[in-house]
């Protein structure tokens, strides 16, 4: 006899368990939840003997794992809608940056914002993600670029995880850009980011992974290697913004350090894709940034398939290059722009996105032992999650088995 807190019935399950039926689909399914975890899931006809404190009937709706947004910059001050207008009028990103815009503009607004202000603005953006089925979100630092502001961002991210009805994984992105006060002494900032800010963040329990931006306009492979070696010494996994604007060898560097993921990867070569596949590094696809930057070179999807590289999909929600606060919009764009199948895209926002955060044993599929983070949808087939652009589809979310 299974003792459960909740029984969910009269539903169709897209379990997203690999193998078997497309989407891991189960018609007329049921789920038993106890202590926030799934203790049984399958066809309702196969329900074992059980006692449940309460039962939810879902009127034939589809249930998926809660969606996982594995790459966001959700916490920041201000916005850059004015720069968006400038770019549409022909002003280049470089010209905007030289005039004090770009990341520096967001940095200034983030430094002056209070923790409460940062929390309030992030919660407003998070509402869009939650309304599109997200139950787990990764949040990066990287707009403070000094010790106090980076730690402030990470504290706000932790608060979101405690108070806002989502699971949060934090990433320290100190090597995002060189702040203006260190332009003449770049090495001093790299030292500060690696030897001071990162250990402080780790000591305070504020960081789950370490990230960097590896591009000629950002940080070199040698600088990133120093950061990753320090992360390894602190027992922290790594991630990498890689090969977004050029082939800088970022994919191979991520593979060398056993990174959880390499993100963007539009210009990754076959050698890089092969290295990622061999090392089990997830490719995180960010179609919102591809759209907003009007890029023309998509990620090498065929090569990733060829070399067995798992592909996640995320919003990259940020103020400059991807003001996207809808996970279903990201799924649609991944299919339309990158030619993922709907099943690949949904796996990329559930099972594979969980792997990109090191959470594959906790979330991302509907199966026994996983946390009961679920999304319930008003759809007739799972492909609709990638088909509709802007139509409200979510009926409810469960986080740890509780409606949230």
């Amino acid at each position: 006899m299974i003792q459960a807190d909740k029984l969910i019935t009269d539903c169709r399950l897209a379990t997203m368990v690999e193998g078997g039926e497309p989407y891991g689909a189960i018609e007329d399914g049921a789920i038993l939840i106890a202590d926030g975890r799934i203790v049984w899931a399958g066809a309702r006809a196969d329900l074992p003997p059980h006692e449940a404190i309460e039962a939810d009937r879902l009127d034939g709706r589809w249930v998926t794992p809660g969606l996982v947004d594995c790459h966001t910059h959700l916490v920041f001050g201000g916005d850059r809608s004015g720069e968006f207008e400038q770019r549409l009028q022909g002003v280049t990103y470089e010209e905007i940056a030289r005039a004090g815009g770009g990341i520096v503009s967001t940095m200034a607004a983030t430094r002056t914002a209070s923790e409460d202000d940062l929390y309030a603005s992030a919660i407003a953006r998070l509402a869009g993600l939650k309304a599109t089925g997200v139950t787990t979100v990764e949040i990066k630092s990287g707009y403070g670029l000094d010790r106090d502001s980076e730690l402030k961002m990470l504290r706000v991210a932790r608060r979101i995880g405690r108070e806002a009805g989502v699971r949060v994984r934090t990433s320290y992105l100190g090597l995002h850009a060189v702040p203006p006060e260190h332009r003449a002494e770049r090495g001093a900032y790299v030292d500060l980011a690696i030897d001071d800010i990162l250990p402080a963040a780790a000591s305070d329990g504020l960081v789950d992974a370490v990230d960097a931006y590896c591009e000629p306009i950002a940080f070199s492979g040698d600088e990133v290697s120093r950061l990753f070696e320090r992360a390894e010494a602190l027992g922290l996994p790594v991630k990498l913004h890689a090969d977004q604007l050029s082939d800088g060898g970022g994919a191979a560097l991520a593979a060398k350090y056993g990174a959880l993921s390499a993100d963007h990867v539009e210009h990754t070569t076959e050698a890089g894709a092969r290295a990622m596949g061999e090392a089990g590094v997830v490719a995180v696809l960010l179609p919102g940034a591809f759209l907003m930057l009007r890029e023309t070179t998509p990620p090498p999807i065929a090569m990733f398939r060829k070399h067995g590289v798992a592909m996640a999909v995320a919003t990259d929600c940020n103020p400059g290059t991807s003001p996207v606060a809808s996970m279903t919009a990201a799924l649609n764009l991944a299919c339309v722009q990158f030619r993922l199948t709907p099943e690949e895209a949904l796996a990329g926002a559930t099972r594979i996105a969980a792997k990109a955060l090191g959470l594959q044993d906790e979330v991302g599929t509907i199966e026994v032992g996983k946390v009961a983070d679920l999304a319930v949808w008003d759809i007739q087939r799972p492909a609709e999650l990638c088909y509709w652009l802007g139509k409200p589809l979510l009926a409810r979310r469960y986080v740890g088995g509780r409606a949230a």
Side-chain angles (χ1 to χ4, degrees):
M1 177 74 71
I2 297 177
Q3 301 294 321
D5 301 316
K6 188 183 295 289
L7 167 66
I8 296 175
T9 61
D10 191 13
C11 60
R12 292 173 281 180
L13 307 181
T15 67
M16 302 312 297
V17 174
E18 197 167 10
E21 295 295 316
Y23 302 96
I26 298 173
E27 295 285 343
D28 193 13
I31 303 171
L32 287 167
I33 299 168
D35 297 322
R37 291 186 179 267
I38 299 167
V39 294
W40 188 87
R44 180 163 54 168
D46 298 330
L47 260 173
H50 63 276
E51 291 182 352
I53 296 173
E54 60 179 311
D56 288 353
R57 295 179 60 87
L58 299 183
D59 301 321
R61 291 183 173 93
W62 277 93
V63 182
T64 70
L67 303 190
V68 178
D69 194 349
C70 64
H71 182 128
T72 85
H73 304 253
L74 195 69
V75 174
F76 57 84
D79 74 51
R80 279 148 61 187
S81 57
E83 294 178 16
F84 173 66
E85 289 184 305
Q86 288 180 283
R87 290 200 305 272
L88 291 176
Q89 294 164 3
V91 183
T92 68
Y93 186 86
E94 183 179 355
E95 289 169 338
I96 290 170
R98 280 204 305 267
I103 290 174
V104 172
S105 171
T106 300
M107 179 206 73
T110 301
R111 286 182 176 181
T112 59
S114 69
E115 291 191 24
D116 285 344
D117 288 342
L118 290 175
Y119 178 83
S121 65
I123 290 298
R125 292 182 283 274
L126 180 65
L129 301 181
K130 291 168 64 175
T132 51
V134 170
T135 55
T136 298
V137 61
E138 184 254 19
I139 301 175
K140 303 179 190 297
S141 68
Y143 287 124
L145 304 180
D146 63 25
R147 179 184 172 123
D148 290 346
S149 301
E150 288 289 298
L151 298 182
K152 176 173 66 174
M153 291 183 70
L154 292 167
R155 284 194 299 269
V156 171
R158 284 285 190 243
R159 180 181 171 189
I160 291 170
R162 292 192 305 269
E163 301 178 5
V166 291
R167 299 183 191 280
V168 168
R169 297 289 280 184
T170 60
S171 294
Y172 168 67
L173 182 58
L175 294 192
H176 191 198
V178 177
E181 66 269 23
H182 284 284
R183 279 185 185 147
E185 47 181 14
R186 173 193 184 90
Y189 176 71
V190 173
D191 291 345
L192 176 72
I194 295 173
D195 299 329
D196 183 357
I197 305 175
L198 173 56
S203 177
D204 289 350
L206 296 176
V207 57
D208 297 314
V210 174
D211 199 350
Y213 185 24
C214 185
E215 283 285 349
I217 66 168
F219 293 90
S220 70
D222 288 343
E223 290 166 331
V224 172
S225 292
R226 280 188 54 205
L227 174 71
F228 283 2
E229 286 163 10
R230 188 59 181 265
E232 185 177 66
L234 292 168
L236 294 168
V238 299
K239 304 166 66 68
L240 188 63
H241 288 60
D243 303 339
Q244 179 186 9
L245 305 175
S246 62
D247 172 25
L253 183 64
K256 175 182 176 181
Y257 285 94
L260 292 171
S261 68
D263 302 26
H264 289 288
V265 293
E266 283 92 332
H267 293 270
T268 294
T269 63
E270 183 154 11
R274 183 184 303 110
M276 288 174 65
E278 291 172 352
V281 178
V282 174
V284 177
L285 310 180
L286 303 172
F290 185 88
L291 174 73
M292 294 299 294
L293 291 174
R294 298 180 178 179
E295 294 289 347
T296 57
T297 301
I301 303 301
M303 286 197 301
F304 289 150
R305 290 173 179 146
K306 174 183 175 181
H307 293 289
V309 178
M311 293 178 286
V313 177
T315 65
D316 192 15
C317 180
N318 76 67
T321 60
S322 187
V324 177
S326 166
M327 196 65 207
T328 51
L331 293 178
N332 174 279
L333 293 172
C335 293
V336 172
Q337 296 186 131
F338 299 160
R339 301 296 190 266
L340 264 62
T341 69
E343 186 175 5
E344 284 178 319
L346 189 54
T350 53
R351 179 180 73 243
I352 297 169
K355 182 181 178 184
L357 298 180
L359 293 176
Q360 62 268 37
D361 294 332
E362 291 290 301
V363 299
T365 58
I366 299 174
E367 57 184 324
V368 172
K370 294 290 181 75
V371 173
D373 289 359
L374 307 168
V376 182
W377 305 94
D378 286 318
I379 56 176
Q380 294 303 310
R381 53 199 304 265
E384 287 187 60
L385 298 177
C386 303
Y387 168 68
W388 291 107
L389 190 58
K391 179 182 178 181
L393 302 173
L394 187 74
R396 70 178 75 170
R397 299 182 316 132
Y398 294 93
V399 176
R402 299 188 178 194

